[in-house]
């Protein structure tokens, strides 16, 4: 029951600044009509609407107006506040862009309290299948749902389960892959920290479906809070009879344990992960045999990603059909993305498959940081690629992203603007894969290093025209001949930036220029003497004392000492530092 | 703790028993904590204790709005549900003084507001 005064919330959604004085005008109007006892005007920091001019939201009526101008104020006060009418011409209909299946409880419940999870239908799916479903029924529902692995590959989950189920072995395992190591990705961490039981429930159901008695959560050691909350959740689930012997009083027995990953990216690859749990060095091995046939300790093993597993309980509770009604023809359900980079609202989002990148960046992310021009969006991390601005209207699903030379990946999504250099981006991701290569196979170990050398020469302005062809040739060799996904996909960022931004590579090679001003060998900082006011700000801020001179004789930058950090450029108030 | 059985799920009342409509919730995942949410959590608890005001301060995971961390959700019966973002120590004190004790909504820090 609303007992508060009527609320007028105001926000200028274009400038990101306060309210261009409209809140004050509202306040004035309210006072003029002596309504201040009944109505209050509040400036909001966000009304979750973007680029719609001044937005005004009225509570408890729940009326939202967009593109409100000063001339509308009197009308709004008179008609909506005093008479309770809606002004059709100003109405804004907010359409919900996000859809929370995986993140249904994240930010809502206390992750350290199982009662909170239980109160929101937690473990109801488990109870339902244990009383009404055979393992075959569970797999049938999974098949109907169309759920595909969220760890990157997009393999149908039901098929994986079905393979493992068909094996005649007595001992089988379920593994949750929580090794999330892509730069810029934190979906799995947030799920484990915000709603650990949802993942446990998914694993227990998987155990029932394939006939496993034991499972492991492989979590990277760099996620201490996630580990702590999972351990606590395991204990609570055991105390409640949801794990261990005779789950919920039935004859189904299943238990879970945690194994820590030491932070090698390659250990996220399923065969390397299994080796790591077995106490061996985390190196991948050739497939087949696939883990569902011959996995942990030689036994049939289902290995699923955190987000995949968090989808299981809602699917079984609401039915595979319900899940399949969300998303596109071949990609069902939702996807969680970690939206970062040059976007106004860095955030963890969940959208139905088929949402476009443009909707994500502009309607959920609030647009590009500082209203700059977007250049590309990177998806799929070091195994993915860039999607240039003109393709942002592509709707996201596994197939579409692949067609564009990127991949869905696990869900990192990095927005890039004109200040991002594509050669530099390619170099960054390749460096990551070179560092993380386990060294077992030559294409990845040698090819990665050679490609990195070439990219470095290009970024230093020493590249040759043949380098582009050379990069493409080594890429093909790595993609074809590497042992595991790491090496096979490591060239993707290079291939994709070359595909869409070859001109930028040529600019570096032929004209020795980096237009984004990122490749520091290709430019110098200089002080423009005509503009310099000799305020000494740059000199005081230079971290390496590379700025010589004083107020009387003026200032110059000593190029031998300069590390090109750009500090002087940033602090100068008179645009007297050029690069 | 009592073990649950299949029966416990069948007998479940249609709607969970009446919960306290008054509470504050702080997002305490890695993203929130990195932005200082644990300090905000402590301040809210201490300040309410000092004022002898009985209001549970709860913990939750990441609500997804990483750009606005630390996030504090205030639920007071009769008032809209307000999600404050970018909450500093100072704002946390203001939330207690103005919003909770004074029943007065704060300017400039609302990141989501709903009539619920
Ligand atoms: C180099 C490399 C790293 C990987 N890292 C992860 C990871 O961090 N998390 C993950 O779930 N899958 C990762 N995978 C994919 C796994 O091998 C595997 O496909 C996945 O765990 C299967 O789960 P899903 O079917 O639920 O997606 C990685 C693959 C490769 C080649």
């Amino acid at each position: 029951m609303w007992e508060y005064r009527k609320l007028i919330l105001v926000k200028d959604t274009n400038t990101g600044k306060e309210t261009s004085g409209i809140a004050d005008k509202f306040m004035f109007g309210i006072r003029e009509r002596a309504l201040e006892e009944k109505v209050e005007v509040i400036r909001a920091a966000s009304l979750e609407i973007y680029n719609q001019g001044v937005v005004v939201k009225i509570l408890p009526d729940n009326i939202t107006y967009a593109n409100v101008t000063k001339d509308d104020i009197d009308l709004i006060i008179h008609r909506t506040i005093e008479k309770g009418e809606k002004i059709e011409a100003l109405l804004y209909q907010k359409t919900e862009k996000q859809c929370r299946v995986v993140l249904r409880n994240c930010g809502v419940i206390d992750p350290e309290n199982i009662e909170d999870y239980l109160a929101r239908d937690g473990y109801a799916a488990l109870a339902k299948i244990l009383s009404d479903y055979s393992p075959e029924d569970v797999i049938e529902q999974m098949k109907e749902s169309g759920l595909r692995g969220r760890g990157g590959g997009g393999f149908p989950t039901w098929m994986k389960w079905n393979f493992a189920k068909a094996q005649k072995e007595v001992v089988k395992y379920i593994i949750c892959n929580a090794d999330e190591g892509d730069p810029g990705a934190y979906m799995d961490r947030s799920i484990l920290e915000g709603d650990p039981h949802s993942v446990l429930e998914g694993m227990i159901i998987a155990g029932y479906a394939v006939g496993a008695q034991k499972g492991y959560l492989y979590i990277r050691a760099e996620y201490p809070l996630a580990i702590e909350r999972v351990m606590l959740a395991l204990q609570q689930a055991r105390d409640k009879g949801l794990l261990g012997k005779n789950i919920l009083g039935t004859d189904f027995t299943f238990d879970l344990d945690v194994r820590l990953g030491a932070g090698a990216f390659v250990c996220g690859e399923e065969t390397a992960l299994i080796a790591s749990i077995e106490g061996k060095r985390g190196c991948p091995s050739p497939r087949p045999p696939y883990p569902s046939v011959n996995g942990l300790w030689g036994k049939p093993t289902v290995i699923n990603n955190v987000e995949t597993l968090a989808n299981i309980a809602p699917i079984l509770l609401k039915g595979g059909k319900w899940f399949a009604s969300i998303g596109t023809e071949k990609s069902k359900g939702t996807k969680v993305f970690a939206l970062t980079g040059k976007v106004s609202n860095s955030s963890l989002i969940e959208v139905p498959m088929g949402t476009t990148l443009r909707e994500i960046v502009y309607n959920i992310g609030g647009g590009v940081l500082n209203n700059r021009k977007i250049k590309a969006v990177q998806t799929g991390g070091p195994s993915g690629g860039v999607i240039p601005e003109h393709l942002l209207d592509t709707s996201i699903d596994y197939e579409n992203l692949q067609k564009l030379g990127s991949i869905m990946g696990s869900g990192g999504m990095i927005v890039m603007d004109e200040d991002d250099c594509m050669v530099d981006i390619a170099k960054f991701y390749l460096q990551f894969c070179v560092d993380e290569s386990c060294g077992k196979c030559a294409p990845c170990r040698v090819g990665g290093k050679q490609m990195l050398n070439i990219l470095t020469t290009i970024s230093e302005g020493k590249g040759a025209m043949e380098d582009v062809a050379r990069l493409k040739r080594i890429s093909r060799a790595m993609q074809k001949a590497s042992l595991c996904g790491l090496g096979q996909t490591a060239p993707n960022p290079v291939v994709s930036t070359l595909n869409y931004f070859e001109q930028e590579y040529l600019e570096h090679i032929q004209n020795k220029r980096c237009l984004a001003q990122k490749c520091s060998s290709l430019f110098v900082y200089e002080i423009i003497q005509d503009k310099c006011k000799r305020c000494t700000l740059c000199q005081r801020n230079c971290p390496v004392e590379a700025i010589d001179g004083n107020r009387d004789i003026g200032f110059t930058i000593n190029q031998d000492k300069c590390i090109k950090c750009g500090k002087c450029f940033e602090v100068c108030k008179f645009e007297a530092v050029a690069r | 703790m009592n073990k649950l059985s299949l029966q416990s799920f069948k007998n479940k009342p249609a709607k969970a028993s009446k919960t306290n409509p008054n509470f504050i919730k702080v997002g305490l995942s890695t993203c929130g904590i990195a932005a200082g949410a644990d300090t905000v959590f402590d301040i809210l608890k201490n300040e309410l204790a000092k004022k002898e005001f009985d209001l549970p301060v709860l913990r939750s995971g990441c609500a997804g709005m990483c750009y606005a961390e630390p996030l504090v959700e205030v639920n007071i019966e009769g008032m809209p549900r307000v999600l404050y973002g970018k909450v500093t120590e100072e704002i946390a004190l203001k939330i207690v003084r103005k919003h909770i004790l004074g029943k007065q909504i704060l300017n400039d820090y609302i990141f989501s507001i709903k009539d619920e």
Side-chain angles (χ1 to χ4, degrees), chain A residues 24 32 53 62 106 113 131 151 169 171 195 197 227 232 249 304 327 388 441 459 468 477 499 525 565 567:
Chain A
D24 289 340
E32 219 174 33
N62 213 2
C106 275
N113 186 350
S131 59
E169 297 265 2
V171 177
D195 191 17
H197 286 287
I227 294 163
L232 192 65
N304 275 136
C441 73
S459 74
V468 172
N499 183 19
Y525 285 97
C565 68
K567 196 76 201 167

Side-chain angles (χ1 to χ4, degrees), chain B residues 82-100:
Chain B
V82 180
L83 185 66
Y84 289 114
K86 302 192 178 172
V87 177
T88 58
E89 301 181 16
E90 195 187 327
I91 302 306
L93 292 174
K94 249 192 182 167
I95 290 175
V96 173
R97 205 169 353 103
K98 268 190 81 181
H99 189 130
I100 296 170

Side-chain angles (χ1 to χ4, degrees), chain A residues 149-153 155 160 177 179-181 188 265-266 268-270 303-306 308 484-486:
Chain A
R150 303 294 194 237
F155 193 78
K160 233 183 226 190
N177 187 343
D179 195 51
E180 190 173 56
D188 296 348
F265 178 63
V266 75
E269 195 282 330
E270 53 193 27
I303 173 160
N304 275 136
N305 163 263
V306 170
T308 312
C484 83
L486 196 153

